[in-house]
Amino acid sequence: MDFAYSNETEALQARVRDFLDNHIVPRIAQWQQEAVDGKRVSFMADLKSLAREEGLWNLFLPSLAECEPGTRLTNLQYAPLAEIMGRVSWASEVFNCNAPDTGNMELLHMFATPAQREQWLQPLMSGDIRSAFAMTEPDVASSDASNIQTLIRREGVEYVINGRKWFITNASHPDCTFLIVMGKTDPEGEARRQQSMIIVPCDTPGVELVRNIPVMHHVAPEGHCELLLSNVRVPAANLLGNEGDGFMMAQARLGPGRVHHCMRAIGMAELALELMVDRAQERKTFDRYLHQHGSISEWIARSRMEIEQARLLVLKTAWMIDEVGARAARREIAMIKAVVPSMLGGVVDRAMQVFGAMGLTPDTPLADLWIGSRALRIADGPDEVHLRSIARMEIDASHERRGSSSDYLTPPDSLRRGG
């Protein structure tokens, strides 16, 4: 496994970081003022146009075709770029690398018909529209997709959709044009063949945006929305893939997306650590700089070690997805999803403590980073689901060697003699 960044990747890192420092960071305050109540940010279109002109566009898609806009990179090449973007919550949108659009572009790239690609994928890849992925529901544990209750029923040349969805990111964004809805076309079928996915334009009659749900009293401008789908009718041609393919497509979508989430989270952790280190060298208590107190210096050291460990695991996962595919890397994908958000939460918590009261205010990004870290422990499935999967894979892998560890045991002499 060689995780050394190629010359191309290092050059892209420098370009993305320069773009972030020169064009994005100076606009953080303006974005916070404008990105309220779902309003369109005045400078976003200009920044996106500039990023595309500079070749910093659609960097996340390994299967990008020559005729499609963007730069084709492997997951391993893209990972450090996602880390840089993670330093500012909305930076990914500038490069057209923002979730959930990236996952939807991957789905459409893999499974869309030519007509679907022309109508939905092309404008999404051009950054002209945005999208949402409607899977989770308020009335069931949606981490188990077999629980999903939304019904997708065929009636002639149409499908009729009824259900409730929530925490649907992007749904209240002014440029969100369509949803990819996951529901059941065959409620009585085999557990992993009940679900299907279908494209639903946001302006379809029966699609109701109930509310933009605050997360820990924090309202995301793009929305984590509750939606009501009441007798929503769309053409049968809007079905993505075949009936019963929904579970398989969801798994295909989540692998690379979790690498993206985790690398952005590592970027967030790096920013929190930088803020902590700077603060620890500026403030004094009891005639000593904060970093001269043993507990603070330990926090700094532990934060650096934890970030480095997490990054290596994510890079290994990205490398495995590139080399052997997401299915073969499912253990590593589950591990990074459990490891990285908790690591981020710990680093941010220490930074907040070093900042004291200021760390709780909007004067620093730490409160937003902490909320993001906590939400990530549920997004894409709660920690417990991933830990369960990891444990199950460990048990399955142990069957061939089961009992061999007894060779390392040293029983008492009486037992060895059989007495």
Side-chain angles (χ1 to χ4, degrees):
M1 301 176 193
D2 184 1
F3 302 150
Y5 300 141
S6 66
N7 292 336
E8 178 187 13
T9 301
E10 289 182 343
L12 281 169
Q13 281 180 281
R15 291 169 58 198
V16 171
R17 184 59 189 260
D18 286 346
F19 195 105
L20 186 94
D21 291 342
N22 295 325
H23 301 293
I24 294 176
V25 173
R27 288 180 169 86
I28 290 176
Q30 185 181 355
W31 185 90
Q32 291 173 338
Q33 293 168 0
E34 294 187 13
V36 294
D37 300 326
K39 294 179 181 177
R40 187 175 284 106
V41 176
S42 62
F43 57 81
M44 184 60 71
D46 291 339
L47 285 188
K48 291 170 76 171
S49 178
L50 181 60
R52 185 166 178 176
E53 288 176 9
E54 294 193 8
L56 302 175
W57 192 257
N58 289 343
L59 302 165
F60 65 93
L61 198 58
S63 58
L64 190 76
E66 293 292 337
C67 60
E68 293 173 322
T71 301
R72 183 171 62 245
L73 299 174
T74 65
N75 287 288
L76 184 58
Q77 290 174 315
Y78 174 63
L81 308 183
E83 177 180 334
I84 297 169
M85 296 176 199
R87 296 172 66 89
V88 178
S89 63
W90 49 271
S92 296
E93 182 180 357
V94 174
F95 306 102
N96 214 42
C97 293
N98 49 286
D101 294 323
T102 49
N104 288 347
M105 281 186 263
E106 287 172 331
L107 274 178
L108 293 168
H109 215 257
M110 289 185 286
F111 304 111
T113 65
Q116 291 169 346
R117 293 172 73 97
E118 181 178 356
Q119 185 173 3
W120 306 111
L121 178 59
Q122 290 180 13
L124 200 56
M125 296 190 72
S126 296
D128 298 328
I129 63 174
R130 293 193 67 179
S131 63
F133 184 67
M135 186 182 82
T136 52
E137 299 181 359
D139 298 324
V140 296
S142 302
S143 55
D144 179 358
S146 65
N147 289 333
I148 288 174
Q149 296 179 336
T150 295
L151 294 178
I152 304 173
R153 187 180 71 257
R154 180 73 180 256
E155 286 190 4
V157 296
E158 293 181 321
Y159 280 100
V160 182
I161 307 162
N162 283 280
R164 293 176 65 205
K165 298 289 184 180
W166 80 338
F167 281 82
I168 308 307
T169 303
N170 238 23
S172 64
H173 193 284
D175 295 329
C176 186
T177 304
F178 72 95
L179 318 166
I180 295 180
V181 177
M182 187 166 176
K184 289 186 176 181
T185 46
D186 183 10
E188 305 303 321
E190 189 271 322
R192 296 196 175 187
R193 294 293 302 169
Q194 297 177 3
Q195 304 82 15
S196 299
M197 292 188 188
I198 195 162
I199 300 169
V200 178
C202 290
D203 59 1
T204 306
V207 177
E208 179 186 353
L209 199 162
V210 178
R211 57 174 172 153
N212 179 1
I213 304 170
V215 177
M216 305 182 84
H217 300 293
H218 178 275
V219 178
E222 71 277 8
H224 300 304
C225 298
E226 181 177 359
L227 302 174
L228 183 62
L229 307 171
S230 303
N231 293 319
V232 176
R233 291 181 174 270
V234 297
N238 282 24
L239 189 72
L240 191 59
N242 299 310
E243 285 193 10
D245 286 347
F247 192 92
M248 175 272 293
M249 290 191 290
Q251 294 301 306
R253 182 185 187 276
L254 287 175
R258 286 184 175 139
V259 171
H260 304 170
H261 271 314
C262 289
M263 286 305 291
R264 283 192 293 266
I266 289 170
M268 295 160 68
E270 284 283 4
L271 175 59
L273 178 56
E274 288 176 24
L275 290 165
M276 188 197 319
V277 169
D278 286 346
R279 180 75 166 184
Q281 296 176 84
E282 295 167 356
R283 281 278 170 130
K284 283 186 174 182
T285 60
F286 307 106
D287 297 323
R288 301 170 71 186
Y289 284 105
L290 293 180
H291 72 88
Q292 294 174 323
H293 294 281
S295 60
I296 307 299
S297 62
E298 180 180 336
W299 292 351
I300 292 170
R302 288 193 179 280
S303 296
R304 169 51 61 205
M305 292 186 292
E306 290 165 6
I307 291 171
E308 295 299 321
Q309 290 170 336
R311 181 187 288 111
L312 283 173
L313 184 57
V314 178
L315 291 177
K316 176 191 176 184
T317 305
W319 176 84
M320 288 189 68
I321 293 174
D322 290 333
E323 295 294 321
V324 296
R327 180 171 177 77
R330 64 190 185 279
R331 184 184 65 170
E332 283 70 20
I333 292 169
M335 287 195 292
I336 63 173
K337 181 57 183 64
V339 165
V340 175
S342 293
M343 175 279 295
L344 172 60
V347 173
V348 174
D349 188 75
R350 295 170 190 143
M352 294 172 80
Q353 200 72 6
V354 169
F355 268 83
M358 186 180 177
L360 308 178
T361 72
D363 294 0
T364 80
L366 293 173
D368 284 344
L369 294 178
W370 187 86
I371 291 169
S373 73
R374 189 60 188 86
L376 277 176
R377 293 183 57 202
I378 295 175
D380 288 344
D383 291 353
E384 291 74 18
V385 170
H386 302 293
L387 294 173
R388 176 175 176 265
S389 297
I390 295 163
R392 182 182 294 171
M393 284 183 269
E394 286 296 307
I395 295 297
D396 290 345
S398 73
H399 287 165
E400 289 187 6
R401 63 175 190 276
R402 184 178 179 185
S404 61
S405 63
S406 63
D407 294 343
Y408 293 83
L409 302 179
T410 309
D413 289 341
S414 59
L415 292 179
R416 287 202 300 269
R417 293 194 301 268

